[in-house]
Amino acid sequence: MQEKRVVFVKPRTFWLAVAFVLPQLLVTAIFFFYPAGQAILGSFFMEDAFGTSRMFVGLSNYETLFTSGDYLHTLKVTGVFSVAVVLVSMGFALLMAIVADQALSGARVYKSIAVIPYAVAPPLAGVLWLFLFNPSGGAMTQLMASFGITWNYRLDGDQALLLVIIAASWKQISYNFLFFLAGLQAIPKSLVEAAAIDGAGFWRRFATIVFPLLSPTTFFLLVVNTIYSLFETFGIVHAVTSGGPAKATETLIYKVYSDGFIGLDFGGSSAQSVILMLMVVALTFLQFRFIEKKVEY
Amino acid sequence: MVERKGMHRIVSHLILILGCALVLLPIYIALVAASHEAAALTGDTPLWFGGRLLENLSSVLGHGLQAAGGAPVWRMLLNSLFMALGIAGGKIAISLTAAFAIVYFKFPGRGLCFFLIFVTLMLPVEVRIVPTFEVASNLHLIDSYVGLILPLIASATATFLYRQFFLTIPEELLEAARIDGASPWRFFKDIALPLSRTNTAALFVVTFIYGWNQYLWPLLVTNQESMYTVVMAIQRMVNVPDAPVEWNLVMMTALLALLPPLLVVLCMQQLFIKGLIEQEK
């Protein structure tokens, strides 16, 4: 841990220091450590629906999860959803950033438009796209009907999943665009120009110079987008499909919510929370390995 | 610039225009829908504006949506504003002081404090939602602004950002201040605080948007309609039981809900980008 050479050390400054860290520590303890501990503890107990009695059941909550087709189905849905959201939003944003990185006229206007989705809350993004794909007369539904495609996400699980993927990817474009653009602008122009003088075309320069140099940004975004697709997309799923039809869009985070607050299965929901926490810890760890690497080179 | 050929530029502009069109499409259609009367939206969606934008605006603000309980949207906007300001202000206040203590004081348990705050990094409230809700309900925070705000203000990222910034403040400043007999409080108030002004502004922009756009937590912690925030209420307007969705009013509400963060992003673009990118460093 980096430190200052000169600091306040006098004993009478101790209480001031305590007063300065205490608010943050208290909030963290009450709303972070205690609930996280409760989730871990609760995952080993079975509670009746009224919360009057609980019984220690060991790992049985976890066992139930991994042997039930339900949870495995949710894992699969989440996998498809996350991979699609990460690929679509990062791919789209990268393309826009590469093009916007050139000295084009109107670049500022393009950039201002590209940051708009960041301001839109996930459930609002969901509702906006829901309206476009509304089975009774939505603009996209009409368009597809003219191509002979029948669209009703309320009945067709795959279409519902596609709809939440589109909304979730759209929302994340701005974030990825800004980071890719910042990453691209940090690449020395002389390198790219030297390759151009040697006769390398645009795409060849991209594949051999730009993309490798962009890899720290790409890796960082992969982690952040995975976390986004796992957690922040709750609002989209909840507002647009409520996990349906027939659980076709039920992601892990939605299941934690629906088992805990609708199904009142606290043990099962806690076990799912713990699994999600482990996933975030793993992703955070990955992130730090990457930050260390970045510092080295 | 490497590429100068006309064809390349045209293709570049085309890609950007298409991309921007895709970004703007849902917002444009929402704006169109918000300017029509309900009857115009029962069949195919019109693609051009109608003349009822202001009527819809005032009806939503004053009376909300009847099928969804009829809570006026102006109240929800106000609740959202309180929540967003509370979260942004609270986050900044506790992160600023915690980071100052960790950097400028030497006290027993300092390393532990840093560690405890730091492990909360990136663990969103969604993950531990059920037990966190129980804590809030035991503390009687349901249906209160404190309940909306307090659980969301702990932030390792902001603390870390301030810590990184304080580490870049030259040591000489503190030495000079101490020679002049400045107390820690004085140094905090007159030197550290003013120096971190730009960081604070950038952080405020990002945390304001974060706070305004909260969804799951307000959904759980509010029962009374008078406490609803606009972002969480939209879901009740779309999923009305046994009634056709009033799309013109829903879209108007959605636009009202996204307008404040949108204005912040567009008007303070430089600060916003700075806050966003530095937060992740």
Side-chain angles (χ1 to χ4, degrees):
Chain A
M1 181 168 143
Q2 261 177 291
E3 288 197 17
K4 286 267 182 200
R5 233 168 356 97
V6 192
V7 288
F8 297 105
V9 280
K10 290 220 185 80
R12 60 188 182 81
T13 62
F14 173 77
W15 292 109
L16 190 65
V18 170
F20 267 52
V21 269
L22 209 57
Q24 172 89 301
L25 279 183
L26 274 179
V27 174
T28 310
I30 296 173
F31 295 106
F32 175 83
F33 284 109
Y34 177 75
Q38 286 288 308
I40 295 171
L41 203 67
S43 72
F44 299 117
F45 285 88
M46 191 105 85
E47 196 168 294
D48 67 43
F50 306 101
T52 46
S53 70
R54 52 197 233 159
M55 186 174 72
F56 183 77
V57 292
L59 289 174
S60 129
N61 284 325
Y62 293 92
E63 217 178 290
T64 314
L65 281 182
F66 284 104
T67 49
S68 80
D70 243 20
Y71 195 67
L72 298 179
H73 167 77
T74 307
L75 268 176
K76 207 183 90 191
V77 168
T78 312
V80 173
F81 175 76
S82 293
V83 170
V85 168
V86 170
L87 287 182
V88 171
S89 72
M90 280 180 68
F92 189 87
L94 180 60
L95 181 67
M96 296 253 304
I98 292 168
V99 183
D101 185 35
Q102 310 167 84
L104 291 172
S105 49
R108 278 190 50 188
V109 179
Y110 293 132
K111 201 173 161 186
S112 296
I113 291 175
V115 299
I116 289 176
Y118 184 86
V120 182
L124 296 178
V127 169
L128 292 180
W129 282 98
L130 169 64
F131 181 57
L132 281 169
F133 282 100
N134 172 23
S136 48
M140 295 304 266
T141 314
Q142 288 169 52
L143 187 71
M144 281 187 291
S146 67
F147 286 105
I149 304 167
T150 323
W151 174 272
N152 191 343
Y153 74 92
R154 287 193 195 120
L155 302 174
D156 186 321
D158 291 336
Q159 292 184 352
L161 192 57
L162 189 64
L163 176 57
V164 286
I165 288 171
I166 292 173
S169 309
W170 179 82
K171 152 83 191 136
Q172 193 65 356
I173 286 172
S174 314
Y175 189 92
N176 294 334
F177 173 78
L178 288 173
F179 274 86
F180 272 133
L181 194 62
L184 286 168
Q185 284 169 348
I187 294 173
K189 287 282 171 283
S190 54
L191 275 178
V192 182
E193 277 160 15
I197 291 168
D198 288 345
F202 185 82
W203 291 109
R204 191 181 157 95
R205 289 198 307 271
F206 178 74
T208 55
I209 298 173
V210 177
F211 194 69
L213 285 174
L214 204 58
S215 63
T217 309
T218 311
F219 184 77
F220 164 81
L221 285 177
L222 267 178
V223 176
V224 172
N225 279 279
T226 308
I227 291 179
Y228 162 81
S229 70
L230 287 177
F231 305 115
E232 285 170 57
T233 51
F234 171 84
I236 299 177
V237 174
H238 185 254
V240 176
T241 63
S242 298
K247 303 197 171 192
T249 53
E250 189 179 69
T251 56
L252 289 171
I253 191 72
Y254 188 80
K255 195 168 165 60
V256 171
Y257 163 82
S258 71
D259 284 2
F261 286 102
I262 301 168
L264 297 178
D265 170 15
F266 294 110
S269 173
S270 294
Q272 293 177 43
S273 288
V274 173
I275 294 169
L276 280 176
M277 279 191 238
L278 289 176
M279 286 166 92
V280 191
V281 169
L283 283 166
T284 313
F285 182 70
L286 254 177
Q287 179 100 357
F288 275 99
R289 288 293 299 270
F290 146 77
I291 288 173
E292 274 166 26
K293 267 202 192 130
K294 195 170 77 172
V295 173
E296 268 172 42
Y297 103 113
Chain B
M1 199 52 232
V2 186
E3 240 70 38
R4 294 200 176 279
K5 281 170 284 177
M7 197 53 205
H8 185 90
R9 298 190 81 88
I10 292 170
V11 172
S12 298
H13 277 292
L14 267 180
I15 293 176
L16 284 171
I17 289 169
L18 271 175
C20 289
L22 213 55
V23 164
L24 289 178
L25 173 74
I27 294 174
Y28 169 76
I29 293 290
L31 207 54
V32 168
S35 68
H36 282 278
E37 52 186 347
L41 301 175
T42 46
D44 288 354
T45 310
L47 299 175
W48 191 249
F49 298 99
R52 290 185 50 95
L53 195 71
L54 292 177
E55 286 95 325
N56 287 341
L57 177 67
S58 74
S59 131
V60 162
L61 281 178
H63 313 293
L65 271 75
Q66 290 314 319
V73 171
W74 70 263
R75 179 75 206 232
M76 300 175 187
L77 287 166
L78 210 59
N79 288 340
S80 285
L81 183 69
F82 287 152
M83 178 175 70
L85 289 177
I87 290 175
K91 261 190 188 227
I92 285 171
I94 66 171
S95 303
L96 189 62
T97 53
F100 185 79
I102 285 168
V103 172
Y104 281 106
F105 291 98
K106 202 167 208 141
F107 57 94
R110 182 176 66 146
L112 182 70
C113 286
F114 183 66
F115 175 77
L116 286 179
I117 293 168
F118 203 64
V119 287
T120 65
L121 195 73
M122 296 223 285
L123 207 62
V125 70
E126 282 85 355
V127 180
R128 54 205 152 80
I129 193 72
V130 179
T132 311
F133 174 74
E134 279 173 5
V135 172
S137 114
N138 289 339
L139 293 174
H140 304 292
L141 295 179
I142 307 299
D143 282 326
S144 73
Y145 288 113
V146 179
L148 276 173
I149 293 165
L150 201 59
L152 297 174
I153 66 172
S155 161
T157 38
T159 312
F160 196 63
L161 180 73
Y162 277 119
R163 173 181 172 266
Q164 297 304 85
F165 172 71
F166 287 147
L167 287 173
T168 66
I169 296 180
E171 310 259 348
E172 289 75 13
L173 270 177
L174 179 56
E175 277 169 18
R178 283 177 59 167
I179 291 168
D180 290 346
S183 66
W185 172 248
R186 184 84 200 250
F187 179 75
F188 174 72
K189 184 171 70 80
D190 288 344
I191 296 175
L193 212 54
L195 279 178
S196 37
R197 212 169 32 209
T198 324
N199 283 294
T200 303
L203 208 56
F204 188 86
V205 169
V206 175
T207 48
F208 177 85
I209 297 169
Y210 164 87
W212 182 278
N213 286 350
Q214 284 305 310
Y215 180 72
L216 176 55
W217 187 247
L219 192 68
L220 295 176
V221 95
T222 60
N223 293 323
Q224 290 170 15
E225 289 194 333
S226 62
M227 288 303 293
Y228 283 177
T229 66
V230 67
V231 171
M232 66 141 291
I234 197 88
Q235 163 267 139
R236 292 172 55 92
M237 301 176 178
V238 180
N239 300 314
V240 279
D242 312 319
V245 181
E246 296 173 271
W247 280 113
N248 55 338
L249 302 182
V250 172
M251 286 296 123
M252 178 55 87
T253 312
L255 290 170
L256 284 172
L258 65 82
L259 194 62
L262 185 65
L263 286 179
V264 168
V265 165
L266 291 180
C267 300
M268 290 176 244
Q269 208 175 114
Q270 296 310 319
L271 268 182
F272 156 68
I273 293 174
K274 179 182 158 66
L276 192 67
I277 290 182
E278 289 204 345
Q279 209 181 26
E280 303 295 350
K281 266 186 190 160

